[in-house]
Amino acid sequence: MQKELDKRDLNVLSVLQNEARISNVQLAERVGLSPAACWERVKKLEARGYIRRYLGEIALEKLPGTINFMVLVTLKTHRADDFIKFETDIQKSAHVVRCVAVGGGFDYILEVVVAGMEAYKDFLSGFLERNGHIEKYSAHVVTKNVKSQSVDLNVLFADQI
Amino acid sequence: MQKELDKRDLNVLSVLQNEARISNVQLAERVGLSPAACWERVKKLEARGYIRRYLGEIALEKLPGTINFMVLVTLKTHRADDFIKFETDIQKSAHVVRCVAVGGGFDYILEVVVAGMEAYKDFLSGFLERNGHIEKYSAHVVTKNVKSQSVDLNVLFADQI
DNA sequence: ACAATTGACCAAAGAATATTCGGTATTGGC
DNA sequence: GCCAATACCGAATATTCTTTGGTCAATTGT
């Protein structure tokens, strides 16, 4: 199995990234392959882990009463064990939709979705306060979704395409 | 056209959110509808704007040299015009994949993807420094993608389902 | 150099799916 | 009661998926 992605692979990824429900026939046309060859490539990209999954972007703000907020978290202690414990807790919470570990000033950035003010308070007092590992946090309600798009692979790897 | 989402709509959204490429036949089975009825529902949900689009989640960290980072931004001034200008700039940058406006302490949180150290520095010095509206910012390199999942609509609206 | 192997590709075909269409039942006004 | 609107189903056609077998070119081992 080859190690790198060629131009066509990047092309396939680039299309699927933005139009996950495109038919294989159309995708094949776009990248200049026969449907069968294209299908093989997609399956391989999936198998090799370049495509994690396909998801529908739901307009959560249209659902009544949802509150979206970001939380910056600093842990008390920074041993490997502390990180693991915190991250397992995060995985369990259905309200945390995203969590990245970051460098510089604090440790994690979370994105959280709840279904109302009550759930919002419950999350902060319940989940965060009860978690013994957290030194401090700051919660920031999302007031507007300014932008949410995929990386343009053609821009990102302009030199390789 | 009805205003609310019924139990089945939430069900459909819940499935499509996580498995955007599921076949309509299988989706119909899961939500207990005929394929035709299910198809109509999906099309309506799309037309009503509850489903924004379908996207493939690409494992960017597997692509060679990509750097992912978050930026917290505070604007100098806070008139409506300042926000608009900043947001238009954001829309133009292919490297900014996400931007939310937030309350509490600072104004925006950005998520940025670049293809190497050089592009990273270029972004900070170029895009951010040159933008006259920014008072201060802090950049935080993402060291680990701890979690990235969709909201569980069944949990979020447990009472309504 | 030269098989043998491998991988990517294509065309074709059968299986499965999407999408359209007509028709029925239920609902909510009027 | 009656009409219109809506949600649904089953069936039919158009399109697609997925498999299969075979060609070709590049790669590998000898």
Side-chain angles (χ1 to χ4, degrees), chain B residues 1-151:
Chain B
M1 183 174 278
Q2 84 284 6
K3 269 275 158 310
E4 288 288 351
L5 299 174
D6 64 10
K7 184 184 160 182
R8 279 176 169 163
D9 287 322
L10 281 173
N11 236 310
V12 169
L13 290 179
S14 182
V15 173
L16 280 180
Q17 183 176 229
N18 292 296
E19 298 163 63
R21 287 202 79 147
I22 193 174
S23 82
N24 182 58
V25 173
Q26 287 183 66
L27 176 58
E29 275 172 20
R30 289 241 210 129
V31 301
L33 280 177
S34 78
C38 182
W39 193 82
E40 278 180 11
R41 255 177 205 273
V42 171
K43 288 303 151 194
K44 275 181 197 161
L45 286 170
E46 288 172 2
R48 290 202 284 160
Y50 285 99
I51 302 174
R52 265 202 221 94
R53 55 186 183 147
Y54 301 97
L55 31 93
E57 189 178 301
I58 307 301
L60 283 175
E61 70 278 7
K62 296 195 74 172
L63 301 187
T66 54
I67 299 175
N68 206 293
F69 59 102
M70 317 287 287
V71 187
L72 312 180
V73 174
T74 306
L75 296 189
K76 279 180 190 163
T77 48
H78 296 85
R79 287 162 304 178
D81 207 42
D82 302 322
F83 293 116
I84 292 174
K85 276 183 188 156
F86 177 78
E87 290 175 16
T88 2
D89 274 3
I90 288 298
Q91 299 291 352
K92 283 186 215 147
S93 168
H95 295 295
V96 179
V97 296
R98 185 107 195 274
C99 173
V100 294
V102 295
F106 45 88
D107 300 318
Y108 292 99
I109 299 182
L110 315 185
E111 183 176 348
V112 187
V113 181
V114 293
M117 244 340 192
E118 206 170 330
Y120 173 72
K121 284 183 288 185
D122 284 355
F123 182 85
L124 292 185
S125 63
F127 180 77
L128 292 178
E129 303 282 2
R130 194 161 48 229
N131 187 308
H133 311 295
I134 296 175
E135 181 185 317
K136 61 181 176 186
Y137 68 85
S138 61
H140 304 263
V141 174
V142 171
T143 53
K144 184 179 180 186
N145 230 302
V146 178
K147 188 178 189 180
S148 171
Q149 67 159 43
S150 314
V151 206

Side-chain angles (χ1 to χ4, degrees), chain A residues 48 50 52-53 55 57 61-62 87 91 93 97-98 101 104 111 140 143-144 146-149, chain B residues 48 52-53 55 57 59 61-62 87 91 93 97-98 101 104 111 140 143-144 146-149:
Chain A
R48 292 201 294 166
Y50 285 97
R52 267 204 219 92
R53 58 186 179 144
L55 32 91
E57 190 178 300
E61 71 276 9
K62 296 195 72 171
E87 291 176 15
Q91 298 292 353
S93 168
V97 296
R98 184 106 195 276
E111 183 177 347
H140 305 262
T143 53
K144 183 178 179 186
V146 177
K147 188 178 188 180
S148 171
Q149 66 159 46
Chain B
R48 290 202 284 160
R52 265 202 221 94
R53 55 186 183 147
L55 31 93
E57 189 178 301
E61 70 278 7
K62 296 195 74 172
E87 290 175 16
Q91 299 291 352
S93 168
V97 296
R98 185 107 195 274
E111 183 176 348
H140 304 263
T143 53
K144 184 179 180 186
V146 178
K147 188 178 189 180
S148 171
Q149 67 159 43

Side-chain angles (χ1 to χ4, degrees), chain A residues 5-77:
Chain A
L5 299 175
D6 63 11
K7 185 185 159 182
R8 278 175 170 164
D9 286 322
L10 281 174
N11 235 310
V12 169
L13 290 178
S14 183
V15 174
L16 280 179
Q17 184 176 229
N18 293 296
E19 297 164 62
R21 288 202 79 146
I22 193 176
S23 84
N24 182 57
V25 172
Q26 288 183 68
L27 177 58
E29 275 171 21
R30 289 241 211 131
V31 300
L33 281 176
S34 78
C38 182
W39 193 82
E40 277 180 11
R41 255 176 204 273
V42 171
K43 289 300 151 193
K44 274 180 196 160
L45 286 170
E46 288 172 3
R48 292 201 294 166
Y50 285 97
I51 303 173
R52 267 204 219 92
R53 58 186 179 144
Y54 302 97
L55 32 91
E57 190 178 300
I58 307 300
L60 282 175
E61 71 276 9
K62 296 195 72 171
L63 302 186
T66 53
I67 300 175
N68 207 292
F69 59 101
M70 317 288 286
V71 187
L72 312 181
V73 173
T74 306
L75 296 189
K76 279 181 190 164
T77 49

